[in-house]
Amino acid sequence: PNCSPAHKNYQRQTEQPTDTSSAANSEHHAVKPPNGVLNQKNREQDWNQDMDGITQDTVPVEGIDSQGLLNGDASDEAKKEIMDEDCVDPPHTHIEQAEEEKKEPEQDDVVMNSIPEQKETNEQKLYKIANELLQTEKAYVARLNLLDKVFYAKLIEEARKDTFPMDVVKNIFSNISSIHTFHSQFLLPDLEKRMGEWTATPRIGDILQKLTPFLKMYAEYVKNFDHAMDLLKQWTDRSPPFKAIILEIQRQEACGSLSLQHHMLEPVQRVPRYEMLLKDYLKKLPQDHIDQRDAEKSLEIIAMAATHSNTAIRKTENLKKLLEIYEMLGEEEDIVNPSNELIKEGHILKLAARNTSAMDRYLFLFNNMLLYCVPKFSLVGQKFTVRTRIGIEGMKVMETYNEDYPHTFQVSGKERTLELQASSEQDKESWIKAFQETIHISLQKNETFKSASKDVEEIAELKISELGKRAPRWIRDNEVTMCMKCKEPFNAITRRRHHCRACGYVVCWKCSEYKATLEYDGNKMSKVCKDCFCILTGHIDSEEREGKKKGILEIEAGQFSGNSIMCGFLQYCEKNKPWQKVWCVIPQKEALVLYLYRAPQDVKAQSTIPLLGYQVEDSARPTDPPASFRLSQSKSVHSFAAESEDLKQRWLKVIRMAVTGEVPKSPEENHSTEITQEPSSNGV
C-alpha cells in the first residue's frame, strides 16, 4: 500500500488478470478457509481505492523493486534474499504504519492468520526452530566465507607484495579460517543432513554438542576483537592500498552495503545466538523426548562458553593488574596466577591492639586471600611490604564501635584478626560489602567441593561401594602437578603433597585435613580427602554428586590416556616461553583436539589446542631441539619436540589428519602398538 501511483498502476495491470489464481496458489492462502480468497479480493479492491489518495512523496519510486513485490508484500524468494542478506525484520514491516488506516480488514486478516498457528503442533514448532538454526547457520557460513576467502585472502595476497605487513592482516583476522572451516565442513553439513532426515531423527542436541571442543576458538577470537578493531582503523588511515582493497570489497553485492567491521562482529554474536535458539528449543521439547538430555547438556556448555568468551578480555586485564601488584610488592609474593582476582585495594588505618593508636596500612583483597601491607617510602621499585597474608576461607567481618576512632570494622581470619579504620562511613561500608561478597562466593565454592566428584565412572580403579574396604592404588607424586581435588598447583613450601588413604589420590594439606575409619585398616582413623570423608560419613548422596558441573578443561588425563588415539610426553614451547615437558593426549571422543597436561594423572588440562585449521610445519629451525615440529595459525604458534624422529613422525601422521578435519585412525589401525613399550614417556 505504501508504493507510488506509478507502481500501483503497474500492479493493477499485471496482477488483476491472475489475481484469483495467484492468491489460491500462494503459500499464504493455501492454509486459509475457502472464503479466504473472496475476502482477499474484496480487500484488494479496497486497497486499490485507498491507494489513489497516496501521494508521490510517501515512498520514493526508486526505493522499490517492482519485480520483487506482490500485492504490497514481498514474494517468498525476495523475502528470503532480504532476510539472508540483512538479517532484519520481514520486508513488509516498513509499511505497517500505512496499513493501520485499514484496521477492520487487517483485524480480519489477523484472525485468518491465527487459525493455522493455533493448529500448529509441538512437533512443527520444534521443526521450525531446528530449521531456523539451519537457515541462520547458512547465512553465518556465508559471512565467514566472506571474511576468510575474500577479505582475508585479498589482503594477504597484497601483503605478500610488501605493501603492508603480513602480520597486521593475521592479527586482524585472528583464527577466522579455523572457525570458517569447522562451520562450513562439519557443523553445517551435519545440520543439513539432519534436517533431511528429520522425520526419522527429530533432534539437534547431539549435533550441537560437537561445538564443545571448538568453543575455545571463539574465546581467542573475542579476546582479540578489540585489538583487531584498533589495527583495522590504524591501517585504514595509514595505508591507501589497504583501504582501497577493503572499500572495493565492501562495494560488492555480497557485502550487502555493510562494512568489514560489521561482518567481523558476526562470530562474536554467534555463540549467544546458539544459546537463544537452544533455550527456545528446550521450552517446546517434551520432558520425555529423546533429545532432552543432549539439548540440556549442549545448552549448559554453550552458555558457559558464552560467559567464558565475554570474560576473556577481563582476565587479560586482571593478569596485567596482578603483574603491577607483583612489582609493587618487590616481586616476592607469588600472586601472578590466573585464578587470583583482585577485588579491592586501598589505604586504610590499622588500630593497635594495646593502645589503639592508628597506623597507615594498605590492603589488597583478592578472591582467595587478603594481603595486609605496610607502605614503603620509595619512588621506584617496591612500594609495599607484606606483613600478613590472611586466607578468605573461615574469614569473618563485622562492624566495631570506638569512641575515639569512627568508621571502624574488624576482619578476623585464621591467621590474624585486624581492627581497621576507614576514611569515611561510605568507605567503611564499601570495604565491608567487598569482604562479605568475597566470603560468600568462597563459601559457595567450598560447598561445591563437598559433593564427591569421583562417582562410579570417574573412579575406574576403585568403586565407591568398596571405598575404605580395600586398600587403594596410590597415585605417584611425580604423576601429578596439582591437587587432585581443589586443582591448586603444588609447591615445596605452602602446598605439599599428601595421599588420601581411601582413594589413593594426591591432595594438598587443605584437602587432606579430614579423618575417617577405614575397614581395610582395622577401622583406624586415617587421613582422607574431603570427598571421601563425605562419602564415608554419608553427608552427601549420589544425586548431589551427579549434579556437579565441570569446566571444559576439568577432565582427568587418566581418562583420556586409556582411551586415546595418541598420547605421550612431548617437549612444548609457546611463543618465546621456555621449553617444558607436557603430557599430550588426542582422545578418541574428541579426535580433533590436543589436550596438554603437566603430568599423566593431572585432573585438569593445562590447555587445549583445537587442531582443525592449523598448519603443520616440519622444517627444522636452528634454535629448536631435534625431532621438532610446529603448529601455526594466525599469530598463534605451538612448537613441539619428540624424543626421537620415529616418534615425531607418528605424531605428525595423526595431527596432519586432524588439522584437515579427518578423524585420525585408532591405535590398532595405525599399527603403532610398539610405542606402548614405554608408556611413561611416549605411550599410545
Side-chain angles (χ1 to χ4, degrees), residues 350-359 402 404-405 419:
K350 190 263 180 184
L351 302 185
R354 293 184 177 181
N355 53 18
T356 65
S357 60
M359 298 166 286
N402 192 305
D404 299 326
Y405 298 92
E419 188 172 6

Side-chain angles (χ1 to χ4, degrees), residues 203 205-206 209 290-299:
R203 54 189 306 189
D206 57 330
Q209 281 196 48
I290 189 175
D291 202 23
Q292 181 73 29
R293 184 175 179 180
D294 286 340
E296 288 179 347
K297 185 176 180 181
S298 299
L299 177 59

Side-chain angles (χ1 to χ4, degrees), residues 107-136:
Q107 291 172 355
D108 293 340
D109 196 22
V110 170
V111 174
M112 300 288 287
N113 285 332
S114 65
I115 294 175
E117 292 182 4
Q118 293 173 352
K119 294 182 179 180
E120 188 176 38
T121 64
N122 203 53
E123 289 77 9
Q124 291 173 329
K125 293 177 181 178
L126 291 174
Y127 176 82
K128 286 176 64 176
I129 296 172
N131 190 56
E132 181 181 356
L133 174 62
L134 174 61
Q135 299 305 324
T136 56

Side-chain angles (χ1 to χ4, degrees), residues 2 34 100 120 131 139 163 214 247 264 308 332 337 341 356 371 379 392 498 504 552 557 565 579 582 589 612 632 657:
N2 256 13
E100 288 178 359
E120 188 176 38
N131 190 56
T163 310
F214 301 96
L247 291 178
M264 290 182 66
H308 175 72
E332 295 181 0
N337 189 311
E341 181 182 355
T356 65
L371 295 184
L379 297 178
I392 295 297
H498 299 268
I552 296 176
I565 294 174
W579 286 83
V582 296
K589 67 176 184 178
L612 183 64
S632 62
M657 296 177 67

Side-chain angles (χ1 to χ4, degrees), residues 26 40 157-158 183 186 189 205 214 226 231 237 273 290 312 319 369 402 425 437 490 509 518 522 548 569 628 641 650:
S26 67
Q40 174 70 12
E157 181 182 352
E158 185 66 25
H183 284 271
F186 292 91
F214 301 96
D226 287 343
L231 280 178
D237 297 337
R273 183 66 183 271
I290 189 175
L319 282 176
M369 62 182 171
N402 192 305
E425 189 67 20
E437 290 179 351
F490 289 121
W509 67 271
L518 301 178
K548 181 177 179 180
F569 279 114
S628 62
R650 294 179 183 276

